[in-house]
Amino acid sequence: MNSRDKGKRGELEFAAFLRGHGYEARRGQQFSGGHDSPDVVHSIPGIHVEVKRVENFSLYPALDQAERDRQDGQVPVVFHRRNHKPWVAIVDAGDFIKLLKEANANAK
C-alpha cells in the first residue's frame, strides 16, 4: 500500500474515531479536494487536526506541518496511531496550557 492510501485510511479512521465520541467529522480532501484542505474537517472549535497513521513517526516535522497548516486562532494538534496502538494527541506544551486555562474558565 502506498503512503497516500495509508494516509487516506488514517484520516478516515480518525474521522470515525471523532464521530464515535459525538463530534461531526469527515475526511477533508474528499470534499474540498485541495491540497490545502485539513486532514479532517470536524466540529471541535479552535483545533486544527493533523493525522499521522504511520509506524515510524517524526514528532517535530509533524508538529511543524500542523503549525503551518492551521488557521489563525487554531491550536495545532497532531493525532498519531501506530498499528495495534490507541490514538494519541500531541500538542505544544504552551498550547496545552492555553487549552487548560480555557477549559477551566468555561467550567466556572
Side-chain angles (χ1 to χ4, degrees):
M1 172 184 314
N2 70 36
S3 62
R4 185 180 303 223
D5 287 341
K6 188 162 187 176
K8 175 182 173 181
R9 275 190 25 221
E11 292 163 2
L12 291 169
E13 182 183 324
F14 186 72
F17 173 83
L18 287 179
R19 287 193 306 273
H21 288 278
Y23 295 98
E24 294 179 19
R26 61 178 165 75
R27 182 169 179 255
Q29 285 193 334
Q30 73 187 38
F31 289 83
S32 304
H35 67 281
D36 58 346
S37 299
D39 287 351
V40 174
V41 177
H42 56 82
S43 62
I44 304 169
I47 300 293
H48 170 77
V49 169
E50 184 66 39
V51 175
K52 298 295 181 189
R53 179 68 172 81
V54 295
E55 293 301 300
N56 297 315
F57 178 65
S58 298
L59 173 64
Y60 289 101
L63 284 170
D64 290 345
Q65 180 181 0
E67 177 66 30
R68 276 192 316 271
D69 293 350
R70 72 176 180 84
Q71 300 286 320
D72 286 341
Q74 288 183 321
V75 172
V77 182
V78 176
F79 292 90
H80 173 251
R81 189 172 95 73
R82 292 176 67 173
N83 291 336
H84 314 292
K85 297 291 182 184
W87 285 102
V88 296
I90 301 144
V91 61
D92 176 85
D95 287 333
F96 180 74
I97 296 298
K98 175 184 170 186
L99 292 172
L100 281 177
K101 287 181 178 181
E102 289 175 5
N104 286 332
N106 290 335
K108 293 179 181 179

